[in-house]
Amino acid sequence: MATSKEYIDFLLDQLSLLEGITFRKMMGEYIIYFDGKIAAYVCDNRLLVKITPTAQKMLPAAPAQPPYSGAKDMLLVENVDDKNFLADLFRAIEPEMTVPKKKKQGK
């Protein structure tokens, strides 16, 4: 099941307290970026963040789930209705976020 347009629109509205949020659609799912860094995956109408010490501290009861078959587990963010919590979460994990790898230019 791919993520619905309504769900990604809802999440982007929930993240509207943050500047620098962008997203990219990939095969029916989404990657959310914060200041150019990969912040979260949105797959099957679920918001997932990388398992990091800060994310685990802020989401102590969050289940670990893969975003898609064969992927590494990530933490499921269930409290998506709280804009302030989401903003605090993204700000707190920002230092642990990864910058996307540069694609090699083809010949």
Side-chain angles (χ1 to χ4, degrees):
M1 170 180 103
T3 295
S4 69
K5 174 84 167 97
E6 293 77 19
Y7 189 71
I8 192 65
D9 288 344
F10 166 75
L11 284 180
L12 293 172
D13 182 62
Q14 292 300 95
L15 294 168
S16 64
L17 296 177
L18 298 168
E19 291 186 27
I21 293 289
T22 57
F23 69 98
R24 172 182 277 166
K25 186 173 183 175
M26 298 187 73
M27 298 180 284
E29 305 298 357
Y30 297 85
I31 297 175
I32 295 178
Y33 297 86
F34 179 37
D35 288 336
K37 296 179 179 180
I38 296 172
Y41 284 73
V42 181
C43 300
D44 299 325
N45 288 341
R46 300 172 299 148
L47 177 64
L48 300 145
V49 296
K50 185 176 179 180
I51 298 173
T52 67
T54 303
Q56 288 178 312
K57 184 177 178 182
M58 292 187 73
L59 301 163
Q65 301 177 354
Y68 51 87
S69 180
K72 291 182 183 180
D73 280 350
M74 299 179 81
L75 294 177
L76 176 64
V77 180
E78 295 178 299
N79 189 11
V80 296
D81 292 325
D82 186 338
K83 281 186 176 188
N84 291 315
F85 173 77
L86 288 179
D88 291 344
L89 175 65
F90 275 51
R91 284 185 197 109
I93 65 173
E94 188 273 331
E96 301 165 327
M97 294 177 191
T98 57
V99 177
K101 295 178 183 175
K102 298 280 185 190
K103 293 183 180 181
K104 293 183 181 181
Q105 296 292 328
K107 292 183 179 184

